[in-house]
Structure formats: C-alpha cells, structure tokens
Amino acid sequence: MTIEELKPIIESLIFVSEEPINEKQIAAILEGESAEAIEAAISELMAEYNERGGGLELRKIAGGYQIRTRPEHSEYVRRYLKSQPSARLSIAALETLAVIAYKQPITIPEILEIRGVTSTSAIKTLLDRRLIVARGHKQVVGRPMMYGTSKEFLIQFGLSDLSELPNLEDFEDLMSS
Amino acid sequence: MTIEELKPIIESLIFVSEEPINEKQIAAILEGESAEAIEAAISELMAEYNERGGGLELRKIAGGYQIRTRPEHSEYVRRYLKSQPSARLSIAALETLAVIAYKQPITIPEILEIRGVTSTSAIKTLLDRRLIVARGHKQVVGRPMMYGTSKEFLIQFGLSDLSELPNLEDFEDLMSS
Amino acid sequence: MFITLFSCAAMAETSTQQDSILATIAEARLELGETAEHYKVKLPTFEGPLDLLLYLIRKEEVSIYDIPIARITEQYLNYVRAMRELDIAVAGEFLVMAATLIHIKSQMLLPRDPDAPEEEAEDPRAELVYQLLEHQKFKGAANVLHQRAMIEAATFTRASLETDKNNPEIAATTFQLFEVFREVLNRRRAITEIEIARDEMTMAEKIAEIKLALEERSEVSAREMFERARSRREMVLLFLALLELVKELVIRLKQSEMFGDIFIAKRGEPSDQVSEVGGQLPEGTDQSGNEPLTADHRPAATEL
C-alpha cells in the first residue's frame, strides 16, 4: 500500500482503539506493511492534524497514539459533558509520585529517606488511582515491595514514555538563585 | 466568534458526544452564537472532512452529528477489534484468578475448597482469555487437572515473574500507616 | 540521651521568644493567603521537616549551601514548639529532624582536629544540604507534573463506542488481585470456623436434627440435608444417623424415580404406603454405606 492508502486506515484504527494504539498493534493488523511505511504514515497524519489546527490533535501518549481534543476548548467540552475535573492529588501524593517516577523501582523506606516523611497514605492514594503499580520485591532484608509508575500515569500526565519526564537537574538551582 | 473560531469548538463537541449532537445542543453550549453561524460552521466542517478523505467522516445521523470511521476501512477496523480479547473479568473470574495466581498449581476441587463455590465457568473464561493454562494432572484419585497462570497473565498485570505478586506483608506495610 | 537532653535545653532557651514565633506564623499565614477571620492562629502546614526547613531558609534569605545552623535550628524549634502550643500533633519526623539539627549544631561547635587532613574535615551540614537539594528537586518535578496533569485533564478522548466493550485491559491491579485473594481466604476462614463448630456435633444431635426436621415437614429431601453438611465428617454422621433411624423403624427413605432425590419421611403415616419404593436403601446409597466407618464414629453409633 502507498502511504496515502495507509493513512486513512491507520487513522481509523487510532480512532476506534479505546487505549492508545502503538505501531506494533497497527502493523499486526496491516499484515505485510513495513514498520517504516507505518511510521511514515503516522508522522504525516500527525503533521496534518497540527497544520489543520482543528479541535482535535493526534498525539503520542503512553507509547501509543490517540486522538484527543485540544486543551484550548476544554471549557466548552466540560460544559457540554458537565464533567468536573477529577479531584486533584494532594501535594504529598504529587511529591511521592514524582519521587517514584524518577527513582523507580523504589521501596517505601527509600521514599521516606528522600521525602523525610512517611508516604504510606500517599502510596495508597496513588495505587487506588492506578498511577503506580507494585513492581516486585527488593532482594534485601524484609523484602519490601518496590513501586513504579503505570501506563495510566503516562496517560494522565500526557507523557509518551518516561524519558519525557523533565530533567531533574533542572530543578537543582531553584534555591540558590 | 468567527466561523473559524467556532469550527474547532464544534468539532470537539461532536467528537466527545456519546450520542449524535444536534445544532440546538451545540447552540446551548455556545451561548450567544446564532443558529446560522453554527450551521455554517458545521457545513464547512463536513466539507473539510469530505475533501480530506481521511479515515474519519463527519455525518448527520439521527438528527445530530457524529464523527465515525469510513465504511471503506471497516475490514481493518473489524480485524483490529476482533484481535482484542473480550470483556472485563467478572468478580467470580477475578476471584478464581487470584486463587490460582497465589495457589498454583491448583485443581478445580481445590479452588472450590477455597472459594466455597464452583468455579467452572470462571475457569473457562480465564482459559479463553489465556490468563491461565492447564498444568498437567494431579496424581491423586480422579487425576484432576491442575491450573496455573500464563505468560499472558504476567503481561496483562505488568509482572516480570510471579515473585512480583504482592504478599500479605506488602499489604500490611501499606495499611499500618 | 545526649541529644534528648540537648533538645530540651534548646527548647527551654527559646521558650521566651513566643511572641516572635507567633509573628512568624502570622506572617506565614498571610503568605499562604489564609483568611484573617480565623479565631485561632493557624500554622502553615508543611509536608514534612524538609519542607519546613526549606521554608525557613527561604524566609531567612540564607544560602542553602551555607546554612546558619544555629539560627535555623532556633527557628525550627520555635515552630515545633508553637505546633505543640496550638495542640497540633507533631509528627515524629519533625522531632527526628529537631534532634538532627541540634546534633549538627553541636558538631559545628566542636573544635576541629587540627591534625586531620583537610578533605576529611567534612562539613557536618553536608548530608542535610544534600537531602534538602534532593527534596527541592522533587518538589520542582512535582510542580511540573501537576501542571502537565492540569493540561492533560483539559483534553478529552472520543466518546465511548459500542466496540469499547472489548477493552482488553483488565480493570484490576496486582494489589486488587491480592485483596480479592485475601477476601476469599477470610471468607474461607469464616466457613472453617463454622465447620469446626459443626464438627463438635455428635450423631445423637444429627438424629435429633432429622427428627426435628420431620416435625416441621412430613418429608425432607435427603439431598438438601447432605448439601447443608459442611464437612465430610458431618456427611458421614448424617448418613449414619439415617441408617440408624431406618433400622429403628423411625423413618423410611423414598425415591420416586431412578437416580432421583431421596426423601426422608416418618414411618407410620398413611401417605407413605402410596409412593413408597421400599423400606430399603436405593442401590447407590447402599454402596456408599459400605464405606469404611472409622473407629471414632462407631461408639457414637452404638451409643444410640
């Protein structure tokens, strides 16, 4: 198939998929199409969505692709859906999440070490909201459970993967200035 | 608002709407915009979708507007949806899966012993979804089949091996805060 | 012990400065935009001791790399003291940090060993500074994450389609899996407790139970009675009790069709004559009746 033929099919697949769909899943459906052709089609599609500047955008998120509304029009969309933004995470939960995101896999005692306060209730909240997952036991005394971030974390924070997290060293000099 | 400003907002509303959304509903969200302006924006949007000839179309359906995939690509869409295993797990299936995960290899009579209810249909669901696999016969009277979790189970729960399953201590660690 | 004593002394030393603490708190309150209408003075809340320290360092406009430890320790202790005055539960971590600060302060006062090589003379504050910097970085990251989440929450995916019912994602995490497992086990434990209670049951009680059931109803389904049994032992007891009652000509067992349910009925009632299959046990039951009776069941049987 030509890229022009691939594009509408890929767009359909991205649209119907409830979760972000990745190149591999797309390739499995479009048997015989090369990974390069699929990637090229996707990047053309993304460029088209950007140029058009309509209400929708095609974004890479949690390792896959998804069509979403642009944040600029959220006010109207919320009004229509009568949706409330979901409850904000507490500062404790956010900070705990940040430590987990950058230091994963990490145990509760290690988080305590960094944050200087116990984080168990924050961990509970984050588990309930499926932002973090258990990642197995650390092979040390007591075999504490290690935690890491989930796919849901990437989705809720609009990250394509963990490498997109802002560089931690950028926050180093906030104090000395 | 100009038509150019209206278009992306209307597109967003059509995109997020569960049911086809009509002009009246759109006008209610975009307070103060005239019916003519809204209609003009919609017909421009429809024309754009047609010209683009992408994977999606904006159609008038059941007295409202909806974005959907074009029928031309239904074969691929169907193939993709079919490749997705069906339905969420019922509580019975989840319980049975939990018992198998923690007590594997385990036979159906043993699961009955633990759950107190028969699990045959749950077992069938779990086998269909390839979350569990048969693990040979137990060398006892009746030689019942033993079951264990599969590789697919590890993938779906994001585990690298079974030792990563949380245990009672991990649970108590969390609850003891 | 040394640290504790030192800490008490430091607290006493600073207790005269209550006014300045309250001033600090009031100031902090204004900074946090709290309404002035609160009757009680409100303390700014800090996530933990590191947060409080960062706040004090910023407020005092001192360098994080060269913390005037005596001054900051004093401020810190004032704050902790004020928390107590206002009946705010002081988390253990705040007290641990207080001890750490006092310890560092005491180390700073110790004269340095002049013979020690330059590089070994580590600043007692070094570890704390490192901790504060790390904490600061994660606070910054948390802030950026928060902003990202706010933007992301403003974007929406398409409405759910008919086809979404085929969502492959299992709506459960490993922790939920564990919780479910624990619930099942708890349920099981409750059942076991009942079983243990029932295991105390003697055959005499089983016989009484059958008789009682027949007082209420003229016919009782044997299957139902067996299904209610929670253990093998109880089933055996029930079975023996039935045999005993048949032998004593108290009941008869009836079966209206092959492999059908067996009903227990009192003997001597006229209706019995009509549908009775026979005074003997059906074939299947007879076989299982040959199951070896263990020694501890026999005395119970002969008691009657």
Side-chain angles (χ1 to χ4, degrees):
Chain A
M1 269 188 255
T2 66
I3 286 189
E4 286 312 310
E5 285 168 325
L6 281 175
K7 279 192 321 198
I9 298 171
I10 293 173
E11 193 183 12
S12 306
L13 294 178
I14 295 172
F15 178 79
V16 296
S17 178
E18 193 177 17
E19 298 274 313
I21 183 173
N22 62 34
E23 291 95 340
K24 241 168 113 182
Q25 291 169 294
I26 293 170
I29 302 305
L30 299 165
E31 283 163 44
E33 299 299 329
S34 72
E36 292 77 38
I38 289 169
E39 268 167 45
I42 293 173
S43 50
E44 276 195 27
L45 268 175
M46 286 176 89
E48 279 174 27
Y49 268 78
N50 274 339
E51 273 163 45
R52 239 185 99 233
L56 310 178
E57 56 184 1
L58 174 54
R59 283 182 41 201
K60 181 153 196 176
I61 198 164
Y65 297 89
Q66 197 170 42
I67 299 170
R68 304 179 70 104
T69 62
R70 285 181 200 275
E72 294 94 289
H73 315 115
S74 66
E75 187 199 331
Y76 299 100
V77 174
R78 279 227 178 90
R79 202 185 292 170
Y80 176 63
L81 295 175
K82 295 189 181 73
S83 81
Q84 299 290 325
S86 58
R88 285 186 194 182
L89 289 173
S90 67
I91 293 175
L94 261 170
E95 285 183 11
T96 305
L97 184 59
V99 172
I100 294 172
Y102 284 93
K103 296 279 185 182
Q104 59 188 306
I106 187 170
T107 65
I108 294 183
E110 288 163 349
I111 299 170
L112 164 65
E113 184 89 351
I114 291 175
R115 293 196 59 228
V117 275
T118 51
S119 308
T120 34
S121 79
I123 299 259
K124 247 184 280 175
T125 308
L126 297 173
L127 278 170
D128 281 348
R129 293 180 68 161
R130 304 182 73 201
L131 293 168
I132 60 167
V133 288
R135 277 281 159 76
H137 298 278
K138 187 157 185 168
Q139 299 308 322
V140 295
V141 179
R143 302 185 76 246
M145 182 53 86
M146 298 186 289
Y147 297 91
T149 52
S150 64
K151 189 173 164 189
E152 187 60 30
F153 164 76
L154 295 175
I155 293 175
Q156 286 199 25
F157 287 82
L159 300 165
S160 145
D161 56 61
L162 288 174
S163 71
E164 280 200 350
L165 281 171
N167 188 354
L168 204 51
E169 303 312 316
D170 292 347
F171 304 111
E172 177 131 353
D173 278 340
L174 291 180
M175 282 299 290
S176 49
S177 60
Chain B
M1 268 188 257
T2 66
I3 288 192
E4 286 312 309
E5 286 169 324
L6 282 175
K7 278 192 322 195
I9 298 170
I10 294 173
E11 192 182 14
S12 304
L13 294 176
I14 298 172
F15 180 76
V16 300
S17 179
E18 200 84 30
E19 300 286 318
I21 182 172
N22 60 37
E23 290 93 341
K24 240 168 119 179
Q25 290 167 296
I26 294 171
I29 301 300
L30 296 164
E31 284 162 41
E33 299 298 329
S34 73
E36 293 75 37
I38 288 169
E39 267 167 46
I42 293 173
S43 50
E44 275 195 28
L45 267 175
M46 285 178 90
E48 277 173 28
Y49 267 79
N50 274 338
E51 272 163 45
R52 237 186 100 233
L56 310 178
E57 56 182 6
L58 174 54
R59 278 183 47 196
K60 181 149 196 173
I61 194 163
Y65 297 89
Q66 199 168 45
I67 295 170
R68 37 197 299 165
T69 58
R70 280 182 201 278
E72 295 95 288
H73 315 118
S74 64
E75 185 202 331
Y76 297 99
V77 169
R78 219 172 286 138
R79 205 186 290 172
Y80 173 67
L81 294 173
K82 235 176 127 180
S83 73
Q84 307 288 92
S86 61
R88 286 163 199 245
L89 290 178
S90 65
I91 289 179
L94 197 65
E95 274 189 18
T96 307
L97 183 59
V99 171
I100 294 173
Y102 282 95
K103 293 279 187 182
Q104 60 189 305
I106 187 171
T107 66
I108 294 184
E110 287 163 349
I111 300 169
L112 164 65
E113 182 82 358
I114 293 174
R115 287 192 60 222
V117 276
T118 52
S119 309
T120 32
S121 80
I123 298 265
K124 198 180 162 309
T125 309
L126 296 173
L127 281 170
D128 283 349
R129 297 192 55 179
R130 311 213 320 263
L131 291 166
I132 59 167
V133 285
R135 279 278 163 77
H137 296 279
K138 188 161 183 168
Q139 297 310 321
V140 296
V141 180
R143 302 186 74 245
M145 183 59 82
M146 297 186 290
Y147 296 92
T149 53
S150 65
K151 204 175 150 192
E152 181 65 26
F153 167 80
L154 295 177
I155 294 170
Q156 292 223 22
F157 282 87
L159 300 165
S160 72
D161 59 63
L162 287 173
S163 74
E164 291 195 348
L165 278 172
N167 60 29
L168 187 60
E169 280 154 44
D170 303 321
F171 202 73
E172 280 168 354
D173 277 354
L174 271 183
M175 295 308 152
S176 63
S177 61
Chain C
M1 194 58 202
F2 161 76
I3 287 171
T4 323
L5 281 176
F6 211 111
S7 145
C8 289
M11 292 278 202
E13 186 188 310
T14 55
S15 65
T16 50
Q17 295 156 348
Q18 199 60 28
D19 288 350
S20 75
I21 309 157
L22 291 177
T24 307
I25 292 156
E27 200 181 305
R29 185 194 58 183
L30 285 177
E31 267 176 40
L32 289 180
E34 298 277 347
T35 59
E37 287 160 18
H38 285 287
Y39 170 67
K40 233 181 172 181
V41 178
K42 255 189 112 180
L43 281 175
T45 51
F46 294 102
E47 289 300 320
L50 291 172
D51 253 10
L52 170 55
L53 274 179
L54 284 174
Y55 167 77
L56 294 174
I57 289 166
R58 207 173 292 138
K59 196 177 80 64
E60 294 294 299
E61 296 179 331
V62 296
S63 163
I64 195 167
Y65 298 101
D66 186 21
I67 303 168
I69 207 78
R71 194 158 117 214
I72 293 295
T73 301
E74 189 187 308
Q75 296 259 351
Y76 184 92
L77 294 175
N78 284 351
Y79 180 87
V80 172
R81 201 189 152 73
M83 273 166 90
R84 288 186 157 166
E85 296 272 321
L86 296 171
D87 285 336
I88 296 169
V90 179
E93 295 98 359
F94 282 92
L95 301 178
V96 172
M97 179 58 82
T100 306
L101 286 172
I102 291 161
H103 184 64
I104 294 171
K105 190 174 142 190
S106 69
Q107 278 195 313
M108 304 272 296
L109 292 173
L110 288 177
R112 280 202 191 154
D113 182 357
D115 297 335
E118 192 73 10
E119 58 268 25
E120 267 183 35
E122 209 202 323
D123 191 327
R125 298 171 295 183
E127 202 188 320
L128 182 64
V129 170
Y130 173 76
Q131 249 190 315
L132 283 169
L133 286 174
E134 281 289 292
H135 184 66
Q136 179 65 34
K137 277 193 264 179
F138 286 111
K139 277 189 88 67
N143 195 26
V144 170
L145 281 178
H146 173 67
Q147 285 161 10
R148 287 204 77 121
M150 295 294 285
I151 294 170
E152 216 45 47
T155 73
F156 295 84
T157 54
R158 61 161 171 72
S160 63
L161 302 176
E162 189 58 24
T163 54
D164 289 348
K165 287 174 193 145
N166 294 328
N167 186 351
E169 283 273 302
I170 289 177
T173 64
T174 50
F175 259 96
Q176 281 163 326
L177 204 61
F178 178 76
E179 269 191 275
V180 164
F181 180 60
R182 224 170 57 115
E183 279 162 22
V184 171
L185 288 187
N186 286 343
R187 208 163 63 201
R188 173 76 199 147
R189 205 165 295 141
I191 291 169
T192 313
E193 275 160 20
I194 294 167
E195 260 180 33
I196 290 165
R198 287 188 184 210
D199 268 359
E200 306 293 313
M201 193 172 263
T202 63
M203 211 175 89
E205 283 166 343
K206 262 285 158 228
I207 287 174
E209 194 186 304
I210 297 166
K211 284 181 175 168
L212 186 73
L214 289 171
E215 295 289 310
E216 287 164 6
R217 282 185 287 167
S218 62
E219 264 186 13
V220 179
S221 156
R223 177 181 291 162
E224 254 175 48
M225 290 207 83
F226 276 105
E227 273 173 358
R228 251 182 281 146
R230 302 304 307 211
S231 66
R232 274 184 89 83
R233 189 184 136 86
E234 200 184 334
M235 282 197 189
V236 172
L237 279 177
L238 174 64
F239 189 75
L240 290 174
L242 287 175
L243 286 184
E244 191 65 28
L245 290 170
V246 170
K247 202 177 85 188
E248 287 183 1
L249 306 177
V250 178
I251 59 164
R252 37 174 112 235
L253 299 175
K254 305 184 300 176
Q255 189 178 33
S256 48
E257 59 185 88
M258 274 255 257
F259 307 118
D261 197 0
I262 297 167
F263 287 92
I264 307 159
K266 258 192 270 188
R267 250 185 197 275
E269 283 186 16
S271 66
D272 282 0
Q273 311 302 325
V274 187
S275 56
E276 193 176 345
V277 177
Q280 80 245 70
L281 294 167
E283 218 175 293
T285 355
D286 202 33
Q287 270 175 354
S288 46
N290 289 334
E291 264 188 25
L293 302 175
T294 51
D296 58 318
H297 290 134
R298 281 203 180 274
T302 45
E303 253 170 38
L304 287 150

